[in-house]
Amino acid sequence: MQKYLVTGGAGFIGSNFVHYLLSKRKDCQVVNLDKLTYAGNLENLADLKMEARYQFVKGDIADEACVDQIFKSGIDVVVNFAAETHVDRSIENPTDFIKTDVYGTYVLLEAARRYGVKKFIQISTDEVYGSIEKGSFRETDPLMPRNPYSASKAGADRLAYSYWATYQLPVVITRASNNFGPYQYPEKFISLSVTNLLEGKTIPIYGDGRNVRDWLYVGDHCAAVDFLVDQGKDGEVYNVAGGNEKENIEIAKEMVCYLKGSQDSIQFVKDRLGHDRRYSLNADKLKVLGWKPKSSFLTALHETLDWYQKNEVWWKKIKSGKFKQYYQKQYELR
Ligand SMILES: NC(=O)c1ccc[n+]([C@@H]2O[C@H](COP(=O)([O-])OP(=O)(O)OC[C@H]3O[C@@H](n4cnc5c(N)ncnc54)[C@H](O)[C@@H]3O)[C@@H](O)[C@H]2O)c1
């Protein structure tokens, strides 16, 4: 029986990963450590209440005593998803990004070193490379993060690597592209757009809408992380790409079309400060190791839109709470 510590497991990707892990690996136990910030939602995991192999701990990854207590119970594998993740919020106030994404990762790495874990997966992001006009980033390319979110993730990414280089902690780092799928907090592009459309509101598109992102279905991301727990080489970085580079405007049009909305629902708004133009990953390294994504972009996008249609109760509760004030303020700034 392998015991996993999944941090940030009440968030979007983390909760999908906890589900993935418990259904795929019958021989594992999962401790989910989550601070339950605005982005953490236990309703994402409501079906696991009776699952004996699952335990939830409300706590901060930057809290040494709390983290130590968990490691004391015997952890084999750490998967660190916990982070402040929204670029716009990092531009407004970077403090929590440094505390969680950098210092919190340090606290976990220290505990992992003290207790000698078998694998530490650091979930980094493609945003650490910065923007690229042509071609695609490889794992060996320099990091040029351009906003406080991506800079704090780059700090955590390199700190994790340093624990391999210095102490031989078995660290593997993943840099995935933009995820989409069920349970994504409705402030990110696809989850905000679909829920706005379902509410009969417009969808805001930054600048000219021609920023390019590579899109990865969350189920594929979870499968890649699970694969790397066994197959990832210690001290190595792996790009995880969906292979679906799209301009934001193209996705917006597809969402409007699928949900039978009006193309007038697309509203161009003032661009984000320092907005990265294009992200692109070369994922050959992971392919050579034996993994590639399974989902077709359009099918996964349509399934995601169906999920938000069927789960109105889930997102309406979020959108009617604190999110409403935050979003209104953001809107006024535009
Ligand atoms: N969403 C993407 O497109 C994407 C792409 C690549 C990498 N990533 C990375 O994947 C990870 C998860 O992203 P997400 O989109 O699911 O984020 P999310 O914002 O939906 O969830 C983050 C979770 O972390 C928790 N958390 C925050 N601070 C914490 C702390 N100090 N201690 C414990 N828990 C804390 C939150 O409560 C929340 O449950 C992040 O590390 C992010 O950088 C995300």
Side-chain angles (χ1 to χ4, degrees), residues 12 38 85-87 179 184-193 323:
F12 162 46
Y38 76 93
T85 61
H86 193 40
V87 175
N179 280 221
Q184 185 163 33
Y185 193 83
E187 66 182 350
K188 306 281 167 67
F189 176 49
I190 290 182
S191 51
L192 174 69
S193 301
F323 174 85

Side-chain angles (χ1 to χ4, degrees), residues 309-326:
Q309 274 186 303
K310 282 191 205 120
N311 290 277
E312 264 195 18
V313 176
W314 180 86
W315 58 261
K316 278 205 165 153
K317 202 164 163 188
I318 298 172
K319 280 191 134 179
S320 60
K322 273 191 193 147
F323 174 85
K324 203 168 165 184
Q325 292 156 2
Y326 168 78

Side-chain angles (χ1 to χ4, degrees), residues 7-15 33-41 59-62 80-86 96 99-101 104 122-127 149 153 174-180 183-185 187-188 215-216 221:
T7 69
F12 162 46
I13 309 174
S15 61
L33 170 63
D34 197 296
K35 189 178 171 186
L36 297 183
T37 66
Y38 76 93
N41 187 351
D60 189 335
I61 59 164
N80 182 27
F81 289 101
E84 288 292 337
T85 61
H86 193 40
D96 286 343
K99 284 185 184 160
T100 290
D101 303 11
Q122 173 61 19
I123 305 295
S124 188
T125 164
D126 63 349
E127 301 197 24
Y149 162 65
K153 290 296 293 183
T174 67
R175 296 184 187 143
S177 56
N178 272 44
N179 280 221
F180 67 101
Y183 298 116
Q184 185 163 33
Y185 193 83
E187 66 182 350
K188 306 281 167 67
W215 291 93
L216 172 68
H221 189 183

Side-chain angles (χ1 to χ4, degrees), residues 42-262:
L42 287 183
E43 285 178 26
N44 301 3
L45 304 149
D47 55 321
L48 298 178
K49 271 193 188 123
M50 305 302 285
E51 172 57 71
R53 295 180 296 137
Y54 170 73
Q55 185 196 351
F56 173 69
V57 178
K58 182 174 188 288
D60 189 335
I61 59 164
D63 176 345
E64 277 98 346
C66 168
V67 166
D68 191 77
Q69 202 61 31
I70 293 171
F71 276 82
K72 224 179 236 163
S73 73
I75 296 294
D76 299 299
V77 178
V78 179
V79 186
N80 182 27
F81 289 101
E84 288 292 337
T85 61
H86 193 40
V87 175
D88 290 344
R89 290 180 193 255
S90 83
I91 292 168
E92 253 177 60
N93 183 5
T95 315
D96 286 343
F97 288 75
I98 312 303
K99 284 185 184 160
T100 290
D101 303 11
V102 184
Y103 190 77
T105 300
Y106 153 74
V107 171
L108 290 172
L109 287 164
E110 268 300 304
R113 177 162 87 96
R114 250 187 342 270
Y115 287 91
V117 300
K118 294 185 194 130
K119 200 63 124 188
F120 190 111
I121 308 279
Q122 173 61 19
I123 305 295
S124 188
T125 164
D126 63 349
E127 301 197 24
V128 296
Y129 294 113
S131 197
I132 189 166
E133 283 288 315
K134 282 194 188 120
S136 303
F137 285 119
R138 286 181 178 274
E139 289 83 350
T140 45
D141 282 328
L143 306 187
M144 290 290 280
R146 287 162 29 90
N147 59 61
Y149 162 65
S150 50
S152 66
K153 290 296 293 183
D157 177 317
R158 291 300 79 199
L159 193 63
Y161 175 75
S162 80
Y163 271 65
W164 157 251
T166 313
Y167 310 114
Q168 288 77 55
L169 184 74
V171 168
V172 169
I173 297 149
T174 67
R175 296 184 187 143
S177 56
N178 272 44
N179 280 221
F180 67 101
Y183 298 116
Q184 185 163 33
Y185 193 83
E187 66 182 350
K188 306 281 167 67
F189 176 49
I190 290 182
S191 51
L192 174 69
S193 301
V194 52
T195 56
N196 271 14
L197 286 171
L198 294 173
E199 288 177 306
K201 293 182 181 158
T202 56
I203 57 178
I205 303 283
Y206 281 130
D208 61 3
R210 303 205 55 196
N211 297 65
V212 173
R213 300 291 180 263
D214 170 62
W215 291 93
L216 172 68
Y217 183 60
V218 68
D220 282 326
H221 189 183
C222 293
V225 172
D226 179 60
F227 172 82
L228 286 169
V229 168
D230 292 331
Q231 305 294 331
K233 216 172 138 226
D234 295 342
E236 294 291 323
V237 176
Y238 296 92
N239 288 342
V240 187
N244 306 298
E245 279 187 40
K246 311 274 176 209
E247 290 184 349
N248 289 344
I249 186 66
E250 197 183 339
I251 296 190
K253 285 182 178 165
E254 177 58 34
M255 286 191 282
V256 170
C257 179
Y258 187 75
L259 295 173
K260 301 190 172 53
S262 152

